[in-house]
Amino acid sequence: MGKYIVRRLLQMIPVILGTTFLIYAMVFALPGDPTAGKCGDKQCPPAVVKQIEEKYNLNDNVFVAYGKYMGNLVQGDLGENSYGIPVKDDLVQRYGVTAKLALMAIVIEAVIGIAAGALAAIRKGGFIDNLVLVSTLAVISIPIFVTGNLARYFFGVQWGIFPITAPYNPSTYDLLMPAIVLASMSMAYVARLTRTNLAENLRADYLRTAKAKGLTQRRAIGLHAMRNSMIPVITFIGYDFGALLGGAIVTERIFNIQGVGGYIYRGIASRDGFAVVGAVTALVIVYLLVNLIVDLLYGVLDPRISHD
């Protein structure tokens, strides 16, 4: 296990280098003047332009500038945004909000999605199965910005159940409606994935053997069929958690959540290169660590999978 973890951590190094270089090159190779808008409506004086170019290594070619950036990154320095605030300080607060939102969304999609998928598989062909299939198809078909705005209008404006916007330091209740909206599409995929895999395992020979040896239906499904059906579901949930940490831009915009998604959006809109690169670099690292944890969980769900 230890050797496997070390090997995976070493494999992350070229992935981090490759992805961060691509992001860095794409962000700083965008057409236009990177100093535009840094001095309000007026054009920045030559002295200020020169200072900005030296501070962000804009005069160097992309390889030299990236090398300097990585040298600072190794020391834990993600650079400064266009307002002179360290990107690391900005991300500390915003990652806390986004991580909380993502965790809530993961819990919602895992609990409801797995429960709905399991019921549909056990009652395959019945009313519950058809209800799950139709409802999940409807959820998947509706874009997330439509779901978010509808939820905000009805549950926030019309009925007043949830707040329509989140404060700077949101509570769990403030993030509940955005988390449900964020989890809705993934929850539908989890339900369908659970249903498909569990229905297939319920017809497997090992389950009939377990029942023939006297195991009850509940224990046979819970102890054997569900565990074997969870590997692809856990894979999807692990992937989705990494995606939710950076892909909640639309949801955060709808509910005015001060998280990483909104931070990246504003960084792109204002051409704040170091803010975008720093946020995406942190997302890449978190995403790789989450996928490592998912791989380690395979051995827990299926003892036949070895990481030696």
Side-chain angles (χ1 to χ4, degrees), residues 44-96:
C44 292
V48 175
V49 172
K50 184 178 180 181
Q51 182 182 6
I52 293 174
E53 289 175 345
E54 291 178 353
K55 181 178 180 180
Y56 296 108
N57 306 314
L58 298 178
N59 288 326
D60 297 323
N61 67 61
V62 66
F63 297 101
V64 174
Y66 175 73
K68 292 179 179 179
Y69 176 76
M70 289 304 298
N72 293 328
L73 180 63
V74 172
Q75 302 175 41
D77 183 9
L78 292 172
E80 296 181 354
N81 62 21
S82 58
Y83 299 101
I85 301 172
V87 175
K88 183 173 63 175
D89 294 346
D90 265 346
L91 291 180
V92 167
Q93 170 66 26
R94 295 175 183 274
Y95 253 108

Side-chain angles (χ1 to χ4, degrees), residues 5-37:
I5 294 175
V6 172
R7 187 168 67 250
R8 284 295 304 273
L9 290 174
L10 291 175
Q11 290 172 352
M12 289 181 186
I13 295 175
V15 175
I16 293 173
L17 291 174
T19 52
T20 51
F21 176 74
L22 288 175
I23 294 298
Y24 190 94
M26 287 188 292
V27 168
F28 287 100
L30 289 173
D33 182 7
T35 65

Side-chain angles (χ1 to χ4, degrees), residues 122-146:
I122 295 171
R123 306 292 183 183
K124 188 176 180 181
F127 172 75
I128 294 179
D129 184 26
N130 291 322
L131 178 63
V132 169
L133 289 175
V134 172
S135 59
T136 53
L137 181 62
V139 171
I140 293 171
S141 302
I142 302 174
I144 195 71
F145 66 87
V146 176

Side-chain angles (χ1 to χ4, degrees), residues 109 113 132 135-140 183-194 236:
E109 76 175 62
V132 169
S135 59
T136 53
L137 181 62
V139 171
I140 293 171
S184 58
M185 187 174 294
S186 298
M187 181 171 57
Y189 284 117
V190 169
R192 283 176 164 261
L193 198 57
T194 303
F236 176 82

Side-chain angles (χ1 to χ4, degrees), residues 235-286:
T235 303
F236 176 82
I237 291 175
Y239 156 79
D240 197 46
F241 179 68
L244 289 178
L245 285 174
I249 296 178
V250 175
T251 306
E252 289 186 359
R253 289 283 293 170
I254 292 173
F255 295 98
N256 194 33
I257 299 172
Q258 303 300 313
V260 177
Y263 186 72
I264 294 174
Y265 175 84
R266 281 187 288 273
I268 294 173
S270 62
R271 293 210 47 154
D272 197 340
F274 271 91
V276 177
V277 174
V280 175
T281 299
L283 285 176
V284 169
I285 295 172
V286 171

Side-chain angles (χ1 to χ4, degrees), residues 164-186:
I164 58 175
T165 58
Y168 186 73
N169 290 310
S171 64
T172 301
Y173 182 73
D174 293 325
L175 294 177
L176 185 56
M177 184 166 62
I180 294 172
V181 171
L182 190 60
S184 58
M185 187 174 294
S186 298

